[in-house]
Amino acid sequence: MKKICVIGLGYIGLPTAAIFARAGYDIVGVDVSERVVNSLNKGIVTIEEAGLPELVKGAVEKGKLRASLNPEEADVFIIAVPTPIHDDYTANVDYVINATKAIVPFVKKGDVVIVESTIPPRTMDDVVAPILQEAGLDVQNDIFLAHCPERVLPGRILIELIENTRIVGGTTPVAAKKAADVYRAIVTGDVIETEALTAEMSKLMENTFRDVNIALANELAKISAKLGVNAHHVIELANKHPRVNIHQPGPGVGGHCLAVDPYFIVEKARNESVLIKLSRDINNSMPEFVVEKIEELTVQIEKPKIAVLGLTYKGNIDDVRESPAIEIYQLLARNPRFETVAHDPHVQQGQVAFPLLSLEDALHDANVAVVLADHNEFKTLDSQYVASKMKTPVVFDTKNCTNLDNDYLTLYKIGDLSGLKPIQL
Ligand SMILES: NC(=O)c1ccc[n+]([C@@H]2O[C@H](COP(=O)([O-])OP(=O)(O)OC[C@H]3O[C@@H](n4cnc5c(N)ncnc54)[C@H](O)[C@@H]3O)[C@@H](O)[C@H]2O)c1
């Protein structure tokens, strides 16, 4: 049975390591964080993902999964480290470079090296391969180097890691085949072999497609607010067309995939990526749009209390990276006109630099509750309860997720703001 060394034990690396361990492989997971390594060796998971704690605990107890601060010899190396963006919106591939350099002393002839991290086009050929080559490893013949991008949905990672179609881009056709065979041991979906650049671009275009389409829906929400039409109805009716699928508007696009990956293409083909860049700008403008609407709602109140409900970039997860909800909180909190409080049942106090309140305390005497994440807890909010806690029961649902009743409170949705009136005290 093969030994696999997984570099980076985050949302992608840890579930991947655990699934291979469950399939019987010997896994050493490597991370630069002592906290992550120590926790994992005790069978404890430091991220929130359905089913992961049980899976990891079982794998650690069986001796199939352990963590280390340093890589070691293995048959397969899987790199799943972060690829954030710099302040100038260019990709930061330093983590990938460092992880590749770290495995160099342990890679031997015949090994498979896979980069799962999302990377700008040509990174495998121009950045990763040269590091291994310079260390004396012949990437054409001696080792099998491939990019296998990850496309799982947080909250469903353990299911999608197995069921999704995998794209495996080899730096040579043999490398694609060898790397694809690694995944065929655990994946029930198709495993498609291609070359590295195509795999890099296909991953980036998946998220870009979604970002551009969300931008279209967000633009529609703004147009609808101006024209006095309900964008949610417009979308529902337009989508009755058999070949139309308008996405849903929201408070912006977050996470480190949709809000980041399109920039990796823009960086490499700036003049050609007009629509992609414009879509990023539209989605980036949504937090300000939400705050403007809160200002309009509260213009007649001296020090309105705003309860921010939900801080993650999507529902039922604990991930606040690049979250537009955090930006909205900060825009509100920076404005001395508002008293801003926040509640998120999925986020721990240590994850954010401001106080988190219980739902009851956040709603207490609030003038506006703004829902920014479609957590199940918000989908089932009780209208009477919410109204009874708030000073002026007005809810602004930017995710179109609540089932609140207008008999008890005033509910505005991001795509239906035509009737927006300042709150009267
Ligand atoms: N999370 C997702 O839903 C998702 C989906 C698709 C693709 N991706 C991509 O997968 C990659 C990993 O994302 P993630 O969400 O797992 O990141 P993460 O931040 O959750 O985890 C990355 C881990 O790598 C560790 N690390 C950083 N540098 C290291 C190094 N040199 N050696 C060893 N460990 C190192 C960090 O300490 C951290 O624990 C990124 O490129 C991301 O864009 C993520």
Side-chain angles (χ1 to χ4, degrees):
M1 193 51 98
K2 280 191 171 127
K3 178 174 169 187
I4 303 180
C5 183
V6 179
I7 318 292
L9 297 172
Y11 287 92
I12 296 301
L14 185 54
T16 302
I19 283 177
F20 275 111
R22 183 176 62 190
Y25 291 83
D26 287 319
I27 310 295
V28 57
V30 177
D31 205 286
V32 288
S33 159
E34 274 186 36
R35 183 181 67 97
V36 170
V37 169
N38 292 340
S39 303
L40 183 63
N41 282 330
K42 290 184 202 134
I44 298 167
V45 172
T46 47
I47 52 175
E48 185 181 300
E49 180 60 37
L52 191 61
E54 302 84 326
L55 183 63
V56 165
K57 193 166 176 283
V60 171
E61 279 172 4
K62 282 200 187 106
K64 284 291 176 191
L65 173 61
R66 65 192 164 79
S68 168
L69 286 167
N70 301 303
E72 28 186 274
E73 281 202 2
D75 306 295
V76 178
F77 295 83
I78 297 178
I79 296 175
V81 294
T83 40
I85 33 170
H86 293 295
D87 289 344
D88 66 356
Y89 298 111
T90 57
N92 177 354
V93 290
D94 289 352
Y95 299 92
V96 174
I97 292 172
N98 291 340
T100 309
K101 286 182 177 166
I103 62 169
V104 158
F106 306 98
V107 178
K108 57 188 186 313
K109 198 172 171 177
D111 286 352
V112 178
V113 177
I114 297 166
V115 175
E116 283 206 10
S117 301
T118 307
I119 44 179
R122 299 206 53 82
T123 301
M124 291 304 290
D125 289 330
D126 294 351
V127 180
V128 178
I131 294 172
L132 296 160
Q133 197 78 38
E134 278 160 29
L137 294 157
D138 181 351
V139 296
Q140 294 298 319
N141 300 301
D142 286 354
I143 60 163
F144 306 104
L145 181 60
H147 175 50
C148 180
E150 193 47 76
R151 44 155 69 131
V152 289
L153 185 72
R156 283 178 46 85
I157 292 181
L158 294 182
I159 299 163
E160 296 207 353
L161 267 178
I162 290 172
E163 293 182 0
N164 286 357
T165 297
R166 300 298 299 244
I167 310 297
V168 183
T171 49
T172 64
V174 188
K177 161 94 176 61
K178 293 271 186 189
D181 286 344
V182 172
Y183 291 98
R184 287 187 179 113
I186 55 157
V187 170
T188 57
D190 288 342
V191 181
I192 299 173
E193 296 165 28
T194 183
E195 68 275 12
L197 178 59
T198 308
E200 290 166 337
M201 272 307 282
S202 66
K203 164 68 192 176
L204 296 174
M205 279 311 292
E206 289 163 20
N207 284 340
T208 300
F209 170 86
R210 299 191 54 222
D211 195 53
V212 169
N213 279 282
I214 294 168
L216 184 64
N218 283 336
E219 190 161 280
L220 171 62
K222 289 180 174 181
I223 294 167
S224 299
K226 180 161 183 168
L227 299 185
V229 60
N230 182 335
H232 302 296
H233 286 166
V234 172
I235 293 169
E236 192 187 334
L237 298 186
N239 285 352
K240 300 279 182 203
H241 184 293
R243 286 169 296 283
V244 171
N245 178 22
I246 302 178
H247 287 32
Q248 295 300 318
V253 170
H256 51 105
C257 291
L258 263 62
V260 170
D261 296 357
Y263 290 119
F264 291 8
I265 300 176
V266 174
E267 175 187 346
K268 297 287 175 174
R270 196 166 294 277
N271 292 339
E272 294 75 14
S273 312
V274 181
L275 178 62
I276 297 175
K277 173 68 170 56
L278 191 58
S279 302
R280 285 278 65 244
D281 293 344
I282 292 168
N283 289 334
N284 284 343
S285 75
M286 292 312 286
E288 274 181 27
F289 177 74
V290 169
V291 171
E292 267 168 34
K293 295 299 160 194
I294 294 171
E295 278 170 354
E296 280 175 46
L297 274 171
T298 57
V299 69
Q300 295 181 9
I301 305 173
E302 199 179 313
K303 179 94 179 169
K305 176 175 171 181
I306 315 298
V308 168
L309 304 184
L311 294 164
T312 58
Y313 73 89
K314 66 189 284 288
N316 301 322
I317 59 164
D318 68 345
D319 194 342
V320 294
R321 288 177 291 181
E322 313 288 332
S323 172
I326 298 278
E327 193 182 337
I328 290 167
Y329 174 89
Q330 285 165 342
L331 286 170
L332 291 166
R334 271 202 296 269
N335 186 336
R337 219 176 75 69
F338 297 116
E339 179 195 348
T340 308
V341 296
H343 163 73
D344 190 312
H346 293 261
V347 176
Q348 306 294 320
Q349 184 58 70
Q351 288 179 258
V352 289
F354 48 83
L356 290 176
L357 305 187
S358 66
L359 177 65
E360 185 174 359
D361 288 347
L363 290 176
H364 177 73
D365 271 352
N367 295 101
V368 176
V370 55
V371 177
L372 298 174
D374 47 356
H375 294 320
N376 287 344
E377 291 84 346
F378 301 150
K379 291 179 188 166
T380 54
L381 275 176
D382 180 71
S383 307
Q384 274 176 287
Y385 172 80
V386 173
S388 72
K389 298 290 166 199
M390 296 179 71
K391 188 177 235 165
T392 51
V394 174
V395 176
F396 180 12
D397 179 358
T398 70
K399 297 296 290 185
N400 195 16
C401 71
T402 58
N403 285 299
L404 295 166
D405 190 335
N406 270 310
D407 285 350
Y408 298 97
L409 43 77
T410 307
L411 176 65
Y412 293 105
K413 294 180 177 175
I414 190 128
D416 186 16
L417 295 166
S418 53
L420 187 143
K421 287 192 208 73
I423 299 167
Q424 307 285 339
L425 283 179

